[in-house]
Amino acid sequence: MKYGYFDDQRREYVISRPDTPLPWINYLGSEAYFGLISNTAGGYSFYRDARLRRITRYRYNNVPLDCGGRYIYLRDNDTGEFWSPSWQPTRCRLENYVCRHGLGYTIIGSSYQGIEAQTRYFVPLGDNLEIWQLTLTNHRPRPTHLSVFSSIEFCLWDAHDDATNFQRNLSTGEVEIEEGVIYHKTEYRERRNHFAFFACSEDLDGFDTQRDVFLGPYRGWDSPLAVERGCSFNSIAHGWAPMGSHHIQVALAPGESRQIIFLLGYHENPPDQKFDPPGSQRINKQTVKPLIARYLDKDNVDAAFEALRAHWDRLLGVLQVDTPDVHTNRMVNIWNAYQNMVTFNLSRSASFFESGISRGIGFRDSNQDLLGAVHMVPARARQRILDLAATQLETGGAYHQYQPLTKRGNDEIGSGFNDDSLWLVLSVAAYLKETGDWSILDEPVAYENRPGSETSLYEHLERSLRYTLERLGPHGLPLIGRADWNDCLNLNTFSDTPDEPFQTATTRKGGVAESVFIAGLFVLAAKEMERISESVSRRIRDPQFYAEAARRMEAVVLEHGWDGEWFLRAYDAFGRKVGSRECEEGHIFVEPQGFCVMAGIGLEDGRAEQALAAVRERLATPHGIVLQQPAYSRYYLHLGEISSYPPGYKENAGIFCHTNPWIMIAEAMLGHGNQAHDHYLRINPSAREGISEVHRCEPYVYAQMIAGPDAPTHGEAKNSWLTGTAAWNYVAITQWMLGIRPSYEGLQIAPVIPDDWPGFKATRVFRGVTYHITVERVGAGNTVSLIVDGQPIAGNIIPLPPEGQTEVRVEVVLK
Ligand code: BGC
Ligand code: NOJ
């Protein structure tokens, strides 16, 4: 069953009924000002940091889930009836409801008794505000008198404090109203020099800023008293819950349309110019007034919207493909790339599953997110790498996350994940391959953000690998620490206290638990490092050192990390196997099968083939590949959080989608185009659109998890949007199946596609050159011959064209 459809032409997903199984959301903003918006206008906004600079309030565990949003109410002043054109919060029976989620904007429209209302929500490039562009049309045969009410509820900035510290916060709220603009200035009197503003293009008939006056006693957002009675109270918030609402009366002749613009924004004043007049307690508004004036002008708003569209055309234009499969095209050309930008911007901080008050920018997560975004925003990727590296410790280890506002690493959500540092090598390798900008390796970067501790970024990479080599266990495999990529494989935690979170509980020191996954990751990273250090003169170790380290680790994996038919997962704190046929449960895990093969382990002796066959046989389901089997049916003290989840969910045998593309890449490396693409389609959101009542999350973006076959809700997705699934699937389909792969030397072309595809076309902008690629299949295999600008070339890497040439034609023959 579907709740809408893809409009590929306009790059939109069109939702045609408001009661989707879950709120289906979109993101506004791509630089500093961000908002989440659901298909019924629910959601919230923040500046840079979803925790520390929350602009509007969101209530956790609310019912309905997305209540609290950017709500507009319309009231028929002739009858007194009122409704919300976005359905929520009044939930009246609307006609022609439609929500169009596009790239960086959302349009929600509907009609009610002949009054059509459409609101376009977006954040213009370069400015810290969101625009709500409301168009009203009277389709009635008679004149109509309407009241329009806007509404938002302000958050008192620190979203965690806002949700907990009521004894203080119910007394601190402050606002100002000037020339029809509502200013939210809680704590501006003291240490904040930022405020929010909520403006409207029309002359006001009234306003409200105190929530409980606007709503009235014992009422919710579905029936505000001000709206019901058709008149604002002009309330001024002193403490309690500051909100913003404008009231505008609109008379519409038959057929007449009117446009009203609302702006919600964030602004900072220089600390010495906070007040006007100086010495007063009034906000200095001179600095923000020109901005407000600019965007209250309809032509400027339209121009800003066009600029936003052009921005996304540019980003997505870096890679466009035309394959025989609509789901591949749609995801690669539009939604997967778009989701990559969202994960790049927000890591795991704010979604309808991530609260925005917990995780900031994750070290492991962001290094992986970068893999899917570096081709679109190389300059921002460069900065992100430097920011991440600056949270590394001198040992080479890393803080697990940092808060975006401060960029300082902290241990708030746990520490001691022994895989973390290695991901930096993969992201830097991806950056170098994409850009050829080797200068990044010479950038001075601090440790723990400590001034004076700087070394070159290159040395950070050396220390990343050293960190693993200095932490090997009894079998010579890397020690796992708190956990590795699988946060929930807590082999050193032994938590028997219900009130301690697994991720921050103390881990036993001196543990011997080892990870085969980290071994695979290490081999991959060391091989990249071998190549990187060849091009670096001021190095500590020779390339040979890394080649040798990779070779040695590979031998250890083959000796101690192989279970007979697949790769083992780990050794526990007692030196017993995890992910082995010998185990009581959890015989086989997906992660080492993917990563060891990706690292090239077992390619020569047939073990890679065997491992992937085991995945197909034991882990693949119609809804994707599960994380392990059999699921853990009870809690195992020595395994930790993984066994805390009921079978089939999350890390306990859920389909943890992030890992699926590793298997796709591995299949492609072995030349199995059919298998790789089959795995790809099983979790491809667009291909699952038709079972939206089962999948339940948005059909246009990946979710972190789909319930596995051990769960009663097999096939149901959770944790949509902010997941490493996005970047890795993009890498798997574009670089390994379509085979358009940046390499240190140039663009490599090595498609491994299904054998019934006649070929495909693609355009790829790479290092300033546009490659027009046509792939034609003439045989069933994966052997590539390249003709570049009419000339056959040897190998499958296209040499960079001479300076000045910006277009290259590539014909690929696949045999
Ligand atoms: C995992 C969750 C886990 C959480 C703890 C996440 O990365 O996916 O299963 O509960 O970390 O913070
Ligand atoms: C989600 C986390 O964000 C990611 O870092 C981790 O690797 C996976 N969960 C698996 O536990």
Side-chain angles (χ1 to χ4, degrees):
M1 171 179 176
K2 297 186 188 186
Y3 291 78
Y5 59 92
F6 286 92
D7 183 340
D8 292 335
Q9 214 56 43
R10 292 176 48 146
R11 294 176 166 163
E12 292 172 340
Y13 191 79
V14 186
I15 302 169
S16 39
R17 51 187 284 184
D19 57 342
T20 46
L22 291 163
W24 284 2
I25 74 162
N26 192 14
Y27 285 83
L28 310 177
S30 43
E31 293 152 329
Y33 187 106
F34 293 101
L36 286 67
I37 182 163
S38 76
N39 56 306
T40 65
Y44 59 88
S45 299
F46 57 93
Y47 172 73
R48 282 192 197 281
D49 191 314
R51 169 161 182 180
L52 298 175
R53 292 291 179 275
R54 188 75 67 95
I55 296 165
T56 59
R57 184 170 276 166
Y58 176 72
R59 262 178 209 79
Y60 297 97
N61 267 330
N62 208 352
V63 278
L65 189 62
D66 70 335
C67 194
R70 303 167 180 84
Y71 296 139
I72 289 169
Y73 300 87
L74 301 179
R75 180 180 188 273
D76 184 333
N77 287 340
D78 301 320
T79 64
E81 249 192 292
F82 64 92
W83 70 98
S84 331
S86 60
W87 196 53
Q88 281 265 65
T90 62
R91 291 193 298 277
C92 294
R93 195 179 288 277
L94 300 173
E95 299 129 35
N96 311 321
Y97 161 90
V98 63
C99 167
R100 292 181 166 266
H101 283 319
L103 307 179
Y105 66 90
T106 286
I107 300 170
I108 305 177
S110 64
S111 298
Y112 188 74
Q113 297 180 358
I115 303 297
E116 186 189 335
Q118 193 189 69
T119 313
R120 183 162 78 179
Y121 299 92
F122 72 102
V123 173
L125 294 170
D127 283 309
N128 296 321
L129 54 86
E130 62 186 67
I131 299 171
W132 314 358
Q133 212 176 353
L134 168 69
T135 309
L136 295 169
T137 309
N138 179 11
H139 294 292
R140 296 173 176 173
R142 56 180 190 281
T144 296
H145 302 91
L146 294 177
S147 273
V148 179
F149 293 88
S150 64
S151 73
I152 47 107
E153 187 176 359
F154 291 112
C155 179
L156 309 189
W157 305 117
D158 177 336
H160 184 266
D161 188 74
D162 182 74
T164 47
N165 193 7
F166 307 110
Q167 60 80 26
R168 168 181 162 86
N169 294 341
L170 295 178
S171 294
T172 54
E174 288 190 302
V175 297
E176 284 180 35
I177 297 101
E178 193 173 303
E179 296 168 359
V181 182
I182 295 167
Y183 295 88
H184 173 229
K185 62 165 192 175
T186 300
E187 292 184 343
Y188 191 74
R189 58 170 52 248
E190 25 126 349
R191 293 155 299 170
R192 297 190 185 276
N193 61 337
H194 47 262
F195 57 87
F197 56 89
F198 191 31
C200 172
S201 59
E202 311 303 296
D203 290 338
L204 301 189
D205 287 283
F207 62 85
D208 274 299
T209 66
Q210 183 60 280
R211 183 193 67 203
D212 293 347
V213 175
F214 175 75
L215 295 180
Y218 290 90
R219 286 167 179 256
W221 294 96
D222 56 341
S223 58
L225 187 57
V227 177
E228 187 181 284
R229 71 176 200 156
C231 183
S232 295
F233 292 91
N234 297 344
S235 59
I236 311 274
H238 301 287
W240 299 111
M243 56 102 54
S245 172
H246 311 94
H247 174 209
I248 310 113
Q249 308 223 26
V250 183
L252 289 176
E256 189 184 348
S257 273
R258 266 286 278 287
Q259 196 173 107
I260 301 176
I261 296 166
F262 298 99
L263 306 179
L264 174 63
Y266 171 94
H267 194 72
E268 285 175 4
N269 269 340
D272 56 344
Q273 294 168 39
K274 277 175 68 168
F275 299 108
D276 182 23
S280 77
Q281 286 292 300
R282 291 191 72 77
I283 301 174
N284 171 10
K285 307 180 184 77
Q286 302 316 320
T287 53
V288 74
K289 278 186 176 169
L291 183 72
I292 296 177
R294 170 143 51 101
Y295 286 109
L296 286 179
D297 180 280
K298 179 181 172 305
D299 292 341
N300 291 341
V301 168
D302 288 340
F305 186 73
E306 286 317 311
L308 182 67
R309 287 205 91 129
H311 165 78
W312 279 107
D313 285 349
R314 248 189 335 271
L315 291 188
L316 300 189
V318 177
L319 174 62
Q320 287 290 296
V321 304
D322 178 7
T323 79
D325 177 49
V326 60
H327 306 299
T328 302
N329 296 343
R330 186 177 275 158
M331 291 310 292
V332 170
N333 293 339
I334 308 170
W335 293 100
N336 196 172
Y338 179 57
Q339 186 178 4
N340 289 346
M341 283 309 305
V342 174
T343 56
F344 177 82
N345 286 329
L346 297 176
S347 191
R348 305 294 166 272
S349 68
S351 73
F352 267 40
F353 299 88
E354 299 286 0
S355 66
I357 55 180
S358 168
R359 302 202 250 182
I361 303 290
F363 191 92
R364 171 207 293 145
D365 294 325
S366 290
N367 277 305
Q368 293 174 80
D369 293 342
L370 191 139
L371 306 178
V374 60
H375 64 297
M376 292 184 276
V377 287
R380 291 185 61 200
R382 188 182 206 275
Q383 188 57 50
R384 175 63 53 78
I385 287 171
L386 300 176
D387 289 347
L388 287 165
T391 64
Q392 239 183 320
L393 316 178
E394 307 231 24
T395 58
Y399 279 111
H400 198 49
Q401 72 139 26
Y402 65 80
Q403 217 41 53
L405 200 65
T406 61
K407 292 191 180 176
R408 290 189 175 264
N410 60 63
D411 285 337
E412 271 170 32
I413 62 157
S415 61
F417 300 87
N418 278 359
D419 63 314
D420 269 341
S421 60
L422 293 172
W423 298 104
L424 182 69
V425 182
L426 297 201
S427 68
V428 171
Y431 176 79
L432 294 172
K433 291 175 190 174
E434 180 65 40
T435 62
D437 166 25
W438 291 83
S439 74
I440 191 174
L441 295 174
D442 297 326
E443 288 287 340
V445 184
Y447 294 88
E448 292 189 65
N449 303 94
R450 220 167 348 90
S453 65
E454 292 82 0
T455 70
S456 67
L457 175 68
Y458 178 75
E459 187 170 335
H460 280 253
L461 301 186
E462 297 223 286
R463 292 195 194 190
S464 296
L465 289 153
R466 202 173 77 200
Y467 181 83
T468 309
L469 290 174
E470 287 174 352
R471 285 165 186 76
L472 300 179
H475 297 92
L477 291 162
L479 292 173
I480 197 168
R482 174 179 300 282
D484 58 22
W485 172 88
N486 189 331
D487 286 327
C488 300
L489 198 58
N490 313 126
L491 302 182
N492 294 310
T493 303
F494 297 91
S495 177
D496 52 10
T497 312
D499 301 321
E500 69 181 6
F502 287 97
Q503 303 300 318
T504 46
T506 340
T507 51
R508 281 195 196 166
K509 292 268 171 284
V512 295
E514 299 166 284
S515 162
V516 177
F517 172 83
I518 300 183
L521 175 59
F522 176 85
V523 172
L524 191 60
K527 287 181 175 173
E528 295 289 7
M529 194 62 176
E530 178 193 352
R531 174 61 188 82
I532 292 171
S533 43
E534 278 168 13
S535 302
V536 171
S537 49
R538 266 176 307 145
R539 58 192 180 216
I540 302 169
R541 306 282 194 185
D542 292 339
Q544 218 22 57
F545 174 84
Y546 295 105
E548 183 53 26
R551 205 199 49 71
R552 250 182 295 122
M553 187 66 81
E554 205 168 325
V556 173
V557 171
L558 291 173
E559 190 179 346
H560 297 293
W562 181 252
D563 196 51
E565 282 175 68
W566 55 78
F567 293 101
L568 264 185
R569 180 62 177 84
Y571 286 94
D572 71 16
F574 309 101
R576 296 176 312 209
K577 293 173 181 173
V578 178
S580 158
R581 60 176 63 255
E582 292 168 20
C583 300
E584 204 180 320
E585 301 184 284
H587 296 160
I588 171 172
F589 279 67
V590 68
E591 309 100 302
Q593 320 313 325
F595 245 84
C596 290
V597 178
M598 281 166 68
I601 306 175
L603 287 185
E604 271 131 50
D605 62 6
R607 294 198 217 187
E609 287 281 0
Q610 257 182 300
L612 294 187
V615 169
R616 288 196 293 271
E617 191 187 318
R618 292 162 191 267
L619 300 178
T621 80
H623 296 288
I625 305 166
V626 290
L627 202 138
Q628 92 276 24
Q629 278 295 296
Y632 294 116
S633 58
R634 62 184 176 85
Y635 178 56
Y636 293 87
L637 189 63
H638 67 289
L639 296 178
E641 186 169 1
I642 187 168
S643 58
S644 75
Y645 287 112
Y649 293 107
K650 295 281 280 183
E651 279 88 343
N652 188 12
I655 295 157
F656 217 94
C657 298
H658 189 139
T659 63
N660 283 217
W662 299 341
I663 299 297
M664 299 169 205
I665 294 171
E667 291 281 11
M669 286 175 68
L670 295 185
H672 304 160
N674 291 345
Q675 286 304 342
H677 202 258
D678 179 31
H679 288 310
Y680 173 74
L681 278 184
R682 294 187 197 199
I683 61 165
N684 179 303
S686 161
R688 298 174 62 77
E689 186 198 15
I691 53 163
S692 287
E693 80 287 6
V694 177
H695 185 80
R696 299 186 76 227
C697 280
E698 296 92 333
Y700 39 91
V701 290
Y702 286 98
Q704 180 202 65
M705 198 261 308
I706 298 173
D710 298 288
T713 58
H714 184 31
E716 180 189 46
K718 282 196 191 109
N719 298 22
S720 57
W721 278 101
L722 301 185
T723 161
T725 310
W728 276 109
N729 268 282
Y730 192 82
V731 169
I733 184 70
T734 63
Q735 298 188 19
W736 294 92
M737 285 176 256
L738 302 181
I740 304 172
R741 189 151 75 235
S743 80
Y744 296 102
E745 286 75 32
L747 196 60
Q748 185 173 11
I749 310 284
V752 181
I753 53 178
D755 55 15
D756 62 353
W757 281 21
F760 67 91
K761 288 199 174 79
T763 320
R764 175 64 150 91
V765 182
F766 176 71
R767 303 197 196 170
V769 178
T770 305
Y771 293 85
H772 303 276
I773 304 163
T774 313
V775 178
E776 195 195 344
R777 188 186 261 308
V778 301
N782 305 305
T783 312
V784 168
S785 330
L786 286 189
I787 304 170
V788 176
D789 284 333
Q791 299 298 319
I793 64 156
N796 62 8
I797 299 181
I798 311 165
L800 288 164
E803 264 304 299
Q805 184 181 341
T806 56
E807 309 268 325
V808 172
R809 222 147 270 291
V810 186
E811 291 153 68
V812 186
V813 179
L814 258 196
K815 276 207 277 287

